[in-house]
């Protein structure tokens, strides 16, 4: 814990960082639900849109890498760096609905991801310095905020997305780009992006006002060192470039010498780089449930009039997990 930071201020900053975590969830949760609308807008294939969306993951990695190199040198300015990154992500997200090519779409997703990666590293760095060994609960709160934002994003933008229906009388080849769709509601994806952008700006505003007024207008001297590391491992004046790089790569450098704690934080941080916009994660308990529900219905509808009799019982198929005999 920093000596110059009082308990109420630590809690207040933590709450504001949780709000930033919610905004991060909103930003990262908007890609998946809008893929169909972006596909319609750019008149391209789902594979092309998926490749553009994947740029967000590359951007998160790049932003986290850049953040790890510069945040420790930012001092108290890292508070405003968080808000600046979120503002950039907000503006880019709003402009995303006006792009006219896949290249520009890739760049916009990459920019949003870069801002998200930098913000994530900055928030975690601030929490570690503020709470030190007590950082577990604030970290859980930060990731809980991220989860809340990720859950709310589809709910917030769904009213503005197109409602699409497959025609029952049309043979659809999902590998083809010429899928016949019946448009039930016109897409207003630009409103969806603007809504998320407005929510992100609103959530980040308290941290911006607090850091600007509290740290720079009233009590600058009291807050100028609130996030300076106690050890000199990262100081370029006392160590060479090689030692500084090794200190940056060492998880213990960011956890008061506690290697296990620093490694745990690093693992959870790296988990942010691998986002899923479709499907479920490997090993997720939802996977067999969805498999059973949908495959059972498909088999029931397609083979209801086709079966053989074994021992007087009609048998149309034999299934065990993903092995099927028809």
């Amino acid at each position: 814990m920093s000596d110059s930071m009082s308990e109420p201020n630590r809690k207040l900053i933590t709450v504001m960082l949780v709000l930033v975590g919610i905004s991060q969830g909103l930003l990262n949760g908007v890609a998946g639900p809008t893929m169909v609308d972006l596909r319609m807008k750019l008149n391209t294939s789902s594979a092309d849109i998926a490749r553009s969306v994947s740029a967000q993951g590359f951007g998160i990695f790049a932003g986290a890498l850049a953040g790890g190199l510069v945040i420790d040198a930012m001092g108290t300015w890292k508070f405003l760096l968080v808000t600046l990154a979120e503002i950039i992500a907000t503006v880019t997200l709003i402009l995303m609905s006006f792009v006219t090519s896949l290249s520009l779409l890739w760049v916009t997703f990459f920019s949003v991801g870069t801002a998200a990666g930098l913000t994530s590293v900055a928030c975690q760095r601030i929490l570690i310095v503020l709470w030190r060994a007590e950082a577990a609960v604030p970290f859980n709160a930060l990731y809980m905020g991220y989860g809340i934002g990720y859950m709310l994003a589809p709910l917030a933008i769904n009213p503005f997305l197109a409602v699409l229906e497959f025609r029952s009388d049309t043979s659809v080849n999902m590998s083809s780009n010429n899928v016949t769709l019946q448009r039930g509601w016109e897409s207003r994806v630009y409103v969806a992006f603007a809504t998320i952008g407005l929510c992100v700006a609103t959530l980040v505003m308290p941290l911006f006002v607090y850091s600007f007024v509290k740290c720079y207008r009233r009590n600058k001297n009291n807050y100028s060192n609130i996030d300076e590391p106690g050890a000199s491992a990262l100081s370029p004046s006392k160590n060479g470039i090689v030692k500084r790089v090794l200190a940056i790569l060492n998880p213990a450098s960011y956890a008061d010498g506690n290697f296990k704690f620093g490694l745990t934080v690093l693992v959870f941080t790296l988990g942010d780089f691998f986002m899923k916009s479709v499907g479920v994660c490997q090993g997720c308990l939802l996977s067999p449930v969805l498999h059973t529900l949908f495959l059972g219905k498909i088999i029931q509808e397609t083979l209801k009039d086709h079966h053989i009799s074994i021992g007087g019982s009609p048998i149309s198929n034999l299934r065990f997990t993903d092995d099927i005999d028809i």
Side-chain angles (χ1 to χ4, degrees), residues 89-216:
T90 299
V91 174
T92 305
L93 186 69
I94 294 175
L95 295 177
M96 190 180 296
S97 58
F98 300 100
V99 299
T100 56
S101 68
L102 288 171
S103 299
L104 290 177
L105 186 64
W106 195 97
V107 171
T108 54
F109 272 114
F110 182 85
S111 301
V112 172
T114 302
L118 198 153
T119 301
S120 177
V121 171
C123 290
Q124 294 175 62
R125 180 70 174 93
I126 293 172
L127 286 180
I128 290 176
V129 172
L130 287 180
W131 294 95
R132 298 296 182 180
E134 303 173 342
V137 174
F139 261 82
N140 287 335
L142 179 66
Y143 281 100
M144 181 188 70
Y146 177 88
I148 292 174
Y150 204 94
M151 177 187 68
L152 293 178
L155 300 177
I157 65 178
N158 186 63
F160 309 109
L161 302 181
V163 177
L164 307 175
E165 298 178 357
F166 287 101
R167 290 183 179 177
S168 58
D169 59 343
T170 303
S171 177
V172 179
N173 181 10
M174 296 306 294
S175 63
S176 173
N177 292 337
N178 299 319
V179 178
T180 303
L181 300 174
Q182 182 177 359
R183 192 172 304 180
W185 184 267
E186 292 294 332
S187 172
R188 292 179 292 169
V189 68
Y190 60 93
V191 180
F193 286 135
T195 300
I196 296 298
L198 180 61
C199 293
V200 169
T202 302
L203 291 169
V204 175
M205 190 56 62
L207 182 64
F208 173 78
V209 173
Y210 178 87
S211 59
F212 182 79
V213 175
K214 198 74 173 176
C215 298
Y216 300 98

Side-chain angles (χ1 to χ4, degrees), residues 196-259:
I196 296 298
L198 180 61
C199 293
V200 169
T202 302
L203 291 169
V204 175
M205 190 56 62
L207 182 64
F208 173 78
V209 173
Y210 178 87
S211 59
F212 182 79
V213 175
K214 198 74 173 176
C215 298
Y216 300 98
R217 295 287 298 275
R218 297 178 181 175
N219 301 306
K220 180 178 179 180
N221 294 333
N222 294 334
Y223 289 86
S224 58
N225 297 316
I226 64 175
D227 44 15
E228 291 295 327
S232 60
L234 301 179
S235 174
S237 61
K238 296 184 180 181
N239 295 293
I241 297 297
V242 175
K243 290 184 178 180
R244 188 184 179 201
V245 171
L246 291 177
I248 291 174
L249 297 177
N250 183 9
S253 300
Y254 307 95
D256 262 353
N258 191 331
F259 179 82

Side-chain angles (χ1 to χ4, degrees), residues 283-305:
C284 178
L285 297 178
L286 189 61
S287 178
V289 175
L290 294 176
H291 181 272
T292 301
L293 290 175
F294 285 95
L295 186 61
K297 185 65 174 178
I298 292 174
I299 294 294
Q300 180 183 356
E301 292 294 328
T302 56
L303 301 179
K304 59 183 178 181
D305 296 327

